[in-house]
Amino acid sequence: MDSIVVTGGAELSGEIPIAGAKNTCLKLMCAALLSEEPLTLTNVPRLSDVETLTTLLESLGTEVASVQGGNSLMLSAADITNMTAHYDIVRKLRASFNVLGPMMGRCGEAIVSLPGGCAIGARKVDLHLTSLEAMGAKIDLEEGYVHASAPTGLKGTEIEFPFVSVGATENTLCAAVLAKGTTVLKNVAREPDTVALAHCLIAMGADIEGAGTSEMVIRGVDALHGTTHRVISDRIELGTYMIAPAIAGGSVELIGGTRDLVAALADKLEEAGVEITETDKGLKVNRANGRVKSVDVTTAPFPGFPTDLQAQMMALMCTADGVANLEETIFENRFMHAPELIRMGADIDVHGGTAKVTGVEQLRGAPVMATDLRASVSLILAGLAAEGETVVSRVYHLDRGYERLEAKLQGVGAKVERVAA
Ligand code: EPZ
């Protein structure tokens, strides 16, 4: 298996282009199931998660054509020929569970494997299922699969989510756009990915009000048509590469990045002493003067600090001046990077959902591995600031969510190489 070798100490300088957002793109791809007409997506990131979802959608009868070397996808679900999303794929990519809402909206039936556990938490799907039940679906669980059916179609209703769930909001939204009558969804996700999904559905003919607020009103329509939609910039890739010059030193311009996508992170980085400037092309991040200052962070649904940037922020705080408390409120097991950072010389004390990080003068390179995408990239970031070589294994996690990671970092002067095993 490949590894990534990072030799720390190089200051960064130059530009990094930000790709289309993974978590937006995956949900938009699922939404293609809602229409007989093709949905064309542009600015598609080249990631293994996109390939995995393509395989699943093809297994359901969708034709997926890659255009411009994979930068655009044309998804045509004229006929849904198979109602089962198999465990083999859903276990590899949890976002596959988001075919359930579109299939229920379009066909009134679906058999979708439960995704199972995950390295960062239990990640239940109960809210996805109770929402469909509230809309009149019958749900049975058999041999690890959700069997959902609504032979006379789904009916609009009022649903208040007990807490914010990105996936449940998006699955329910997709089911509601073709339901009979009006669905009111309360306490919904306001993540840019969810808002982008709503905008794409509106362009396909859906009647949705309130995207980006905590309540959405969806009036069901008879059918959706095709459209072409550009995937927004990946705010987590953007945030990750904003932390790169903050930890390694230097100045990097992130092309296609906008502050509104990462406002909570930008505020924290500025508090820590990093300079952020909006430019014509994106965002410029500059750390000129020595170490950053420690800042406390609590993860929260958007517009709060994203859980998907907590590991990267922890890497930065390991090198900061002072003590930072990082509180994780979204997932119950998302500190798996802490023991690996400790192997690199970090001083981290985890108690329940809080990590107390005392900055050290110098991290040291070490062989490390991680159990999920964001944890893996936090080790790469730590490696940029460490003395000597950091060898990050299980690179397949990174390939799920970071397009051309080594090339982008090499482009700004980082010493990062992929080594085949
Ligand atoms: C999405 O996951 C993202 N994935 C995650 O990104 C991200 O960390 C997360 O939202 C939070 O922002 C995709 O969009 C593909 P949730 P999702 O439903 O939708 C609990 C990455 O690294 N919950 O908002 O699965 C759940 O266990 C990934 O790119 C239930 O209890 O997240 C969690 O504790 C990782 N029951 C919390 O809610 C449910 O039915 C929030 O999860 C649903 C969720």
Side-chain angles (χ1 to χ4, degrees):
M1 219 176 284
D2 293 0
S3 316
I4 290 193
V5 180
V6 186
T7 308
E11 269 209 1
L12 308 185
S13 164
E15 295 182 351
I16 299 181
I18 301 302
K22 168 180 84 82
N23 289 345
T24 311
C25 185
L26 296 173
K27 311 307 172 53
L28 292 169
M29 289 172 72
C30 294
L33 293 169
L34 281 163
S35 176
E36 285 177 15
E37 295 180 17
L39 172 63
T40 300
L41 300 177
T42 64
N43 199 33
V44 170
R46 272 161 256 192
L47 300 171
S48 63
D49 273 7
V50 170
E51 286 169 23
T52 307
L53 187 58
T54 297
T55 307
L56 175 67
L57 292 172
E58 285 173 342
S59 78
L60 303 175
T62 309
E63 282 175 28
V64 185
S66 178
V67 196
Q68 295 181 325
N71 196 245
S72 298
L73 286 182
M74 191 168 92
L75 302 110
S76 175
D79 293 307
I80 297 180
T81 51
N82 165 30
M83 292 298 155
T84 305
H86 282 286
Y87 178 58
D88 277 359
I89 299 184
V90 183
R91 76 182 165 81
K92 282 195 217 146
L93 174 64
R94 300 182 61 85
S96 322
F97 198 72
N98 275 58
V99 298
L100 178 62
M103 285 173 80
M104 286 302 288
R106 168 103 175 263
C107 314
E109 67 173 298
I111 302 171
V112 180
S113 169
L114 284 167
C118 175
I120 60 176
R123 303 192 72 181
K124 295 198 293 181
V125 289
D126 51 330
L127 301 187
H128 301 239
L129 303 183
T130 49
S131 309
L132 286 174
E133 278 176 332
M135 296 172 80
K138 185 170 169 295
I139 306 278
D140 291 307
L141 299 182
E142 286 172 31
E143 296 173 352
Y145 281 76
V146 173
H147 290 245
S149 65
T152 56
L154 295 171
K155 291 177 196 63
T157 187
E158 185 175 308
I159 297 167
E160 177 156 8
F161 293 105
F163 51 87
V164 173
S165 161
V166 174
T169 299
E170 293 169 343
N171 235 342
T172 312
L173 170 65
C174 285
V177 290
L178 292 180
K180 290 189 195 88
T182 300
T183 304
V184 179
L185 300 181
K186 295 187 170 175
N187 199 22
V188 294
R190 291 183 280 160
E191 266 61 8
D193 315 278
T194 313
V195 176
L197 172 64
H199 287 160
C200 178
L201 292 170
I202 291 168
M204 294 168 79
D207 183 348
I208 302 167
E209 260 177 53
T213 72
S214 54
E215 181 172 314
M216 277 195 268
V217 178
I218 304 129
R219 291 176 204 86
V221 296
D222 290 338
L224 296 188
H225 51 76
T227 192
T228 297
H229 183 93
R230 182 180 162 84
V231 179
I232 56 170
S233 295
D234 193 312
R235 67 198 165 96
I236 307 301
E237 189 196 28
L238 170 63
T240 302
Y241 291 136
M242 286 168 75
I243 293 173
I247 197 166
S251 176
V252 172
E253 189 167 7
L254 302 155
I255 309 304
T258 55
R259 188 170 177 126
D260 56 324
L261 289 173
V262 284
L265 171 71
D267 291 349
K268 286 292 171 186
L269 289 178
E270 282 174 342
E271 203 183 317
V274 177
E275 284 167 24
I276 300 171
T277 327
E278 292 178 81
T279 67
D280 292 346
K281 295 192 282 183
L283 281 185
K284 195 172 223 170
V285 179
N286 178 39
R287 194 207 89 192
N289 310 316
R291 296 164 74 186
V292 299
K293 292 192 286 288
S294 295
V295 288
D296 293 340
V297 167
T298 301
T299 62
F302 193 86
F305 192 96
T307 173
D308 290 347
L309 288 172
Q310 177 260 109
Q312 299 89 315
M313 195 65 178
M314 186 183 289
L316 177 62
M317 289 301 106
C318 288
T319 65
D321 191 9
V323 177
N325 288 299
L326 305 189
E327 193 188 352
E328 172 58 53
T329 69
I330 308 290
F331 293 108
E332 62 276 22
N333 191 29
R334 211 173 195 185
F335 285 139
M336 298 294 276
H337 39 285
E340 299 299 305
L341 290 167
I342 289 169
R343 298 189 62 250
M344 297 176 71
D347 180 351
I348 306 169
D349 203 0
V350 174
H351 279 289
T354 304
K356 181 179 156 203
V357 185
T358 306
V360 295
E361 288 277 338
Q362 182 66 63
L363 292 174
R364 291 181 305 275
V368 285
M369 64 169 74
T371 43
D372 82 278
L373 169 61
R374 311 304 173 187
S376 298
V377 88
S378 77
L379 302 175
I380 304 269
L381 291 174
L384 295 176
E387 189 180 271
E389 259 186 22
T390 299
V391 181
V392 182
S393 51
R394 298 196 180 164
V395 166
Y396 58 88
H397 287 302
L398 292 164
D399 293 335
R400 293 186 59 174
Y402 289 92
E403 183 185 280
R404 301 189 304 113
L405 174 100
E406 323 79 275
K408 288 189 183 186
L409 285 172
Q410 284 161 2
V412 290
K415 293 193 182 126
V416 178
E417 268 180 81
R418 183 179 293 242
V419 177

